[in-house]
Amino acid sequence: MLTRARIAVLVSGGGTNLEALLRSQEQGSLSHGEIVLVCSSRPGVYALTRAANHGVPGAVVSRAGRSQEDFEAELQEQLLRYQVDLIVLAGFLSILSADFVRRWPDRIVNIHPSLIPSFCGKGYYGLRVHEAALERGVKVTGATVHLVNEIPDGGRILLQKAVEILPEDTPEILQRRVMEQAEWILLPQAVEMLCKQISEEGASRS
Ligand code: GRF
């Protein structure tokens, strides 16, 4: 029997990428994975409402006002409690330490709204990524799904998709186009790909 990989989606905001994953699960295209937990680094975010709407458990592990160590210890505890196999960072704005990342080799995946190695790294998050692409005048941008390892931005790239930049674009318009044409398509594809690998590895061990 197929054992589906258990997925935790880590969020900090609106959660449109989480929504894309939940829909792909409901439509049957995330057939090797199951979202078992949505974990937010901030209380009250809309992503938690989306999780509840789809009947998925939500948890808040606050980053604010505590040490990195305490934050990560609680996060790790939640992930182990839900027996998570794969961590998906979908708009998760808290930095994870090299120590934490080392405990999850090839099991953390992130989506970034540019074609890495362009417009990524420190300070490049949210609208800032799209502002920088427009300031530079690039004609094509896109999204990248990559594994996260302990070297910043050093994780293996899994999928990328290009998106055209149009002359009248504002950062907001571009952000929306990158989400619609790339992020919401790529992330479910990459997650299914990883879950398939994980469930096959599990099957070959048992
Ligand atoms: C997305 O643009 C994603 O690429 C980036 O953060 C944003 C999250 O948006 N890492 P949402 O919360 O999924 O709507």
Side-chain angles (χ1 to χ4, degrees), residues 52-125:
N53 289 344
H54 291 263
V56 174
V60 177
V61 177
S62 281
R63 175 65 188 92
R66 65 207 296 213
S67 69
Q68 183 76 20
E69 221 179 347
D70 287 355
F71 165 64
E72 289 183 349
E74 191 187 341
L75 184 58
Q76 179 79 358
E77 194 184 299
Q78 288 285 0
L79 297 168
L80 296 180
R81 178 177 308 158
Y82 283 87
Q83 300 180 317
V84 165
D85 299 304
L86 180 69
I87 301 170
V88 180
L89 308 181
F92 185 65
L93 292 177
S94 299
I95 306 285
L96 295 171
S97 70
D99 272 353
F100 182 90
V101 168
R102 224 175 279 128
R103 283 187 227 134
W104 295 89
D106 291 341
R107 294 297 176 94
I108 309 179
V109 62
N110 181 49
I111 177 134
H112 184 74
S114 75
L115 293 174
I116 290 176
S118 292
F119 312 116
C120 62
K122 201 168 160 45
Y124 285 105
Y125 62 90

Side-chain angles (χ1 to χ4, degrees), residues 111-183:
I111 177 134
H112 184 74
S114 75
L115 293 174
I116 290 176
S118 292
F119 312 116
C120 62
K122 201 168 160 45
Y124 285 105
Y125 62 90
L127 274 181
R128 179 68 202 127
V129 180
H130 305 290
E131 275 163 14
L134 292 175
E135 275 162 21
R136 186 63 198 268
V138 292
K139 306 304 172 213
V140 172
T141 184
T144 303
V145 181
H146 63 97
L147 291 174
V148 176
N149 67 19
E150 64 220 70
I151 310 157
D153 301 316
R156 187 161 57 87
I157 288 176
L158 299 174
L159 292 176
Q160 284 188 305
K161 190 166 189 288
V163 172
E164 199 180 356
I165 296 185
L166 300 177
E168 304 302 318
D169 276 351
T170 62
E172 290 80 5
I173 290 172
L174 183 56
Q175 180 181 50
R176 182 78 193 180
R177 187 179 314 114
V178 169
M179 283 178 160
E180 285 175 356
Q181 294 185 7
E183 295 188 46

Side-chain angles (χ1 to χ4, degrees), residues 180-193:
E180 285 175 356
Q181 294 185 7
E183 295 188 46
W184 299 341
I185 301 165
L186 283 193
L187 188 60
Q189 279 176 359
V191 169
E192 167 61 8
M193 202 167 88

